[in-house]
């Protein structure tokens, strides 16, 4: 009289004892001691289940452990899940990768789209005359494979070989013709040629026709750098984006 029992605890204690006798449940401080014993019993039960090809018994453990076969196949299943490669940037279409306007830093001058599809940014306005079709122009230039590792193609300041061509005669790549046509002497213009328009605005993919127009890299290293980007079939179009800085130095009549 005056005592109350937790019937769930009493029932659990009776099952563990294997008889109908009522025993007081163990204190919670002993719970940590009981768990290893339950694990050992469960492991033995699992082994018995594997030996006879049946599922592991849950008589002694309310939670049935996976079979040995399931444990053995788990790493393979995980490997199959993680083996599926995520598409990298080079394996997907990237409509903005060849457009520097999509990643301008604060203070950068944005490009303006030209009628032919190139992008121009005037880094410095010239103060001299503007060339007319048929006139010969002298330009300094530096080029980069901006869509692939940004390697330098050439710099005429390093080679001391300015590029000279007659405006409108088809001697230069179309992007150069269009860019220089409305520049003034002393001006510097940055030209970005999108990779998807590279062959239209710059160099041919046919190596035998590529350097029928200029500017032509004067060094072996410069040609190799440009040729690698144009000839490598594993690259995406945006990887062939080219960048040139052009300075109109003089006009020859």
């Amino acid at each position: 009289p005056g005592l109350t029992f937790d019937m769930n605890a009493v029932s659990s204690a009776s099952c563990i004892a294997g008889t109908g006798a009522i025993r007081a449940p163990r204190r919670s401080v002993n719970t940590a001691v009981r768990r290893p014993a339950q694990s050992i019993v469960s492991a033995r039960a699992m082994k018995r289940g594997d030996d006879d090809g049946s599922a592991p018994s849950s008589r002694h453990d309310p939670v049935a452990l996976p079979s040995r076969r399931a444990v053995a196949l788990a790493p393979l299943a995980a490997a199959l899940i993680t083996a599926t490669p995520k598409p990298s940037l080079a394996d997907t279409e990237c409509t903005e990768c060849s457009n520097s306007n999509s990643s301008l830093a604060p203070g950068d001058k944005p490009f303006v789209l030209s009628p032919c599809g190139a992008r121009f940014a005037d880094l410095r306005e010239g103060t001299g005359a503007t060339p007319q079709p048929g006139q010969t122009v002298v330009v300094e230039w530096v080029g980069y494979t901006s869509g692939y590792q940004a390697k330098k193609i050439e710099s005429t300041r390093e080679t001391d070989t300015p590029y000279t061509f007659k405006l409108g005669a088809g001697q230069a790549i179309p992007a150069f013709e269009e860019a220089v046509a409305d520049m003034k002497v002393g001006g510097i213009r940055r030209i970005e040629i999108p990779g998807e328009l590279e062959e239209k605005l710059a160099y041919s993919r046919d190596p035998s026709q590529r350097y029928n127009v200029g500017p032509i890299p004067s060094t072996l290293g410069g040609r190799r750098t440009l040729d690698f980007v144009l000839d490598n079939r594993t690259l995406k179009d945006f990887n062939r984006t080219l960048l040139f800085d052009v300075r109109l130095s003089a006009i020859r009549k």
Side-chain angles (χ1 to χ4, degrees), residues 2-54:
L3 297 178
T4 59
F5 294 95
D6 185 339
M7 297 308 298
N8 291 330
V10 169
S11 176
S12 299
S14 299
C15 291
I16 294 175
T19 67
I22 298 176
R23 295 190 304 170
R26 296 181 182 180
R27 296 181 180 178
S28 59
V29 294
N30 293 329
T31 303
V33 178
R34 292 169 56 195
R35 287 177 181 171
Q38 291 176 353
S39 301
I40 294 173
V41 172
S42 300
R44 289 175 180 172
M46 181 178 69
K47 185 176 188 305
R48 286 198 301 271
D50 268 355
D51 290 343
D52 59 8
S54 63

Side-chain angles (χ1 to χ4, degrees), residues 115-117 173-175 193 196-204:
C116 290
I173 60 175
I193 303 175
E196 58 271 18
L197 298 178
E198 187 283 324
E199 191 166 22
K200 173 186 174 183
L201 299 177
Y203 300 95
S204 172

Side-chain angles (χ1 to χ4, degrees), residues 11 13 49 59 83 100 117 154 169 173 186 193 211 218 224 232:
S11 176
R59 179 175 58 186
S100 292
E154 185 164 308
I173 60 175
I193 303 175
Y211 297 118
S218 61
R224 283 181 174 176
N232 192 329

Side-chain angles (χ1 to χ4, degrees), residues 2 9 27 54 79 86-87 91 98 102 118 124 127 171 186 208 217 220-221 234:
R27 296 181 180 178
S54 63
K86 295 182 179 179
D91 294 332
S98 61
S102 63
R124 186 175 73 190
T127 57
Q171 298 175 354
S208 65
L220 180 60
T234 65

Side-chain angles (χ1 to χ4, degrees), residues 23 55 87 108 116 125 127 132 143 157 165 180-181 197 210 252:
R23 295 190 304 170
D108 287 350
C116 290
E125 294 285 348
T127 57
Q132 301 300 315
R157 290 191 175 185
F165 66 96
V180 174
L197 298 178
R210 180 166 301 157
R252 295 176 184 173

